[in-house]
Short mmCIF file of all heavy atoms in Angstrom, two decimals:
data_model
loop_
_atom_site.label_atom_id
_atom_site.label_comp_id
_atom_site.label_asym_id
_atom_site.label_seq_id
_atom_site.Cartn_x
_atom_site.Cartn_y
_atom_site.Cartn_z
N ARG Q 1428 -7.06 5.05 -1.18
CA ARG Q 1428 -6.34 5.27 0.09
C ARG Q 1428 -6.51 6.65 0.59
O ARG Q 1428 -6.80 6.86 1.78
CB ARG Q 1428 -4.83 4.92 -0.22
CG ARG Q 1428 -3.89 5.44 0.83
CD ARG Q 1428 -2.52 5.15 0.40
NE ARG Q 1428 -2.13 5.75 -0.84
CZ ARG Q 1428 -1.17 5.31 -1.67
NH1 ARG Q 1428 -0.41 4.24 -1.33
NH2 ARG Q 1428 -0.89 5.91 -2.83
N ASP Q 1629 -4.18 -8.57 1.27
CA ASP Q 1629 -4.47 -8.02 -0.10
C ASP Q 1629 -4.75 -9.20 -1.06
O ASP Q 1629 -4.48 -10.27 -0.79
CB ASP Q 1629 -3.18 -7.24 -0.55
CG ASP Q 1629 -3.56 -6.34 -1.70
OD1 ASP Q 1629 -4.67 -6.17 -2.12
OD2 ASP Q 1629 -2.58 -5.66 -2.25
N LYS Q 1631 -3.82 -9.44 -4.90
CA LYS Q 1631 -3.11 -8.67 -5.89
C LYS Q 1631 -3.46 -9.03 -7.27
O LYS Q 1631 -3.40 -8.25 -8.20
CB LYS Q 1631 -1.60 -8.86 -5.74
CG LYS Q 1631 -1.10 -7.97 -4.49
CD LYS Q 1631 0.36 -7.55 -4.72
CE LYS Q 1631 0.74 -6.48 -3.74
NZ LYS Q 1631 1.44 -6.94 -2.57
N GLY Q 1643 -2.74 -3.40 -8.57
CA GLY Q 1643 -2.60 -2.68 -7.41
C GLY Q 1643 -3.22 -3.25 -6.19
O GLY Q 1643 -2.90 -2.99 -5.02
N GLY Q 1644 -4.18 -4.15 -6.46
CA GLY Q 1644 -4.90 -4.77 -5.32
C GLY Q 1644 -6.40 -4.78 -5.72
O GLY Q 1644 -6.96 -3.73 -6.04
N TYR Q 1686 5.10 0.18 5.85
CA TYR Q 1686 4.27 -0.99 5.43
C TYR Q 1686 5.18 -2.22 5.24
O TYR Q 1686 6.21 -2.19 4.54
CB TYR Q 1686 3.66 -0.59 4.07
CG TYR Q 1686 2.91 -1.68 3.19
CD1 TYR Q 1686 1.67 -1.48 2.72
CD2 TYR Q 1686 3.67 -2.82 2.85
CE1 TYR Q 1686 1.02 -2.41 1.93
CE2 TYR Q 1686 2.97 -3.80 2.09
CZ TYR Q 1686 1.73 -3.62 1.63
OH TYR Q 1686 1.13 -4.45 0.82
N GLU Q 1700 8.45 -7.26 0.98
CA GLU Q 1700 8.80 -5.77 0.58
C GLU Q 1700 8.44 -4.76 1.70
O GLU Q 1700 7.63 -5.11 2.53
CB GLU Q 1700 7.96 -5.41 -0.74
CG GLU Q 1700 6.42 -5.42 -0.40
CD GLU Q 1700 5.55 -4.63 -1.43
OE1 GLU Q 1700 6.21 -3.83 -2.24
OE2 GLU Q 1700 4.35 -4.82 -1.42
N ASN Q 1702 7.01 -0.83 1.99
CA ASN Q 1702 6.54 0.41 1.41
C ASN Q 1702 6.70 1.54 2.44
O ASN Q 1702 6.56 1.28 3.60
CB ASN Q 1702 5.16 0.22 0.94
CG ASN Q 1702 5.05 -0.72 -0.20
OD1 ASN Q 1702 5.88 -0.95 -1.04
ND2 ASN Q 1702 3.94 -1.46 -0.32
N ARG Q 1704 4.68 4.01 3.03
CA ARG Q 1704 3.30 4.63 2.93
C ARG Q 1704 2.32 3.65 3.30
O ARG Q 1704 2.51 2.43 3.43
CB ARG Q 1704 3.15 5.10 1.53
CG ARG Q 1704 3.40 3.98 0.62
CD ARG Q 1704 3.08 4.13 -0.76
NE ARG Q 1704 3.40 2.94 -1.52
CZ ARG Q 1704 2.71 1.82 -1.68
NH1 ARG Q 1704 1.42 1.83 -1.19
NH2 ARG Q 1704 3.13 0.82 -2.41
N PHE Q 1705 1.10 4.16 3.57
CA PHE Q 1705 -0.07 3.33 3.62
C PHE Q 1705 -0.33 2.52 2.36
O PHE Q 1705 0.00 3.03 1.30
CB PHE Q 1705 -1.40 4.17 3.80
CG PHE Q 1705 -1.54 4.75 5.15
CD1 PHE Q 1705 -1.05 6.10 5.48
CD2 PHE Q 1705 -2.12 4.06 6.18
CE1 PHE Q 1705 -1.24 6.67 6.64
CE2 PHE Q 1705 -2.33 4.61 7.44
CZ PHE Q 1705 -1.81 5.99 7.74
N GLY Q 1706 -0.77 1.31 2.46
CA GLY Q 1706 -1.15 0.41 1.23
C GLY Q 1706 -2.46 0.79 0.80
O GLY Q 1706 -3.35 1.24 1.49
N ASP Q 1707 -2.65 0.46 -0.52
CA ASP Q 1707 -3.94 0.66 -1.15
C ASP Q 1707 -4.25 -0.59 -1.89
O ASP Q 1707 -3.54 -1.05 -2.72
CB ASP Q 1707 -3.85 1.79 -2.10
CG ASP Q 1707 -5.24 2.32 -2.43
OD1 ASP Q 1707 -6.26 1.74 -2.15
OD2 ASP Q 1707 -5.30 3.36 -3.23
N PRO Q 1708 -5.29 -1.40 -1.54
CA PRO Q 1708 -6.44 -1.06 -0.74
C PRO Q 1708 -6.31 -1.42 0.78
O PRO Q 1708 -7.46 -1.39 1.41
CB PRO Q 1708 -7.63 -1.90 -1.42
CG PRO Q 1708 -6.93 -3.00 -2.00
CD PRO Q 1708 -5.47 -2.67 -2.26
N GLU Q 1709 -5.21 -1.73 1.30
CA GLU Q 1709 -5.24 -2.04 2.75
C GLU Q 1709 -5.81 -1.01 3.62
O GLU Q 1709 -6.56 -1.29 4.61
CB GLU Q 1709 -3.68 -2.32 3.22
CG GLU Q 1709 -3.17 -3.68 2.74
CD GLU Q 1709 -2.51 -3.61 1.36
OE1 GLU Q 1709 -2.76 -2.62 0.63
OE2 GLU Q 1709 -1.63 -4.52 1.11
N1 LIG W 3336 -1.69 -3.08 -1.90
C1 LIG W 3336 -0.28 -3.06 -2.03
C2 LIG W 3336 0.37 -1.73 -2.03
O1 LIG W 3336 -0.24 -0.73 -1.66
O2 LIG W 3336 1.53 -1.65 -2.36
#
Side-chain angles (χ1 to χ4, degrees):
R1428 161 185 57 205
D1629 193 6
K1631 284 209 167 99
Y1686 168 128
E1700 63 161 347
N1702 290 328
R1704 51 171 175 86
F1705 284 96
D1707 195 354
E1709 284 88 342

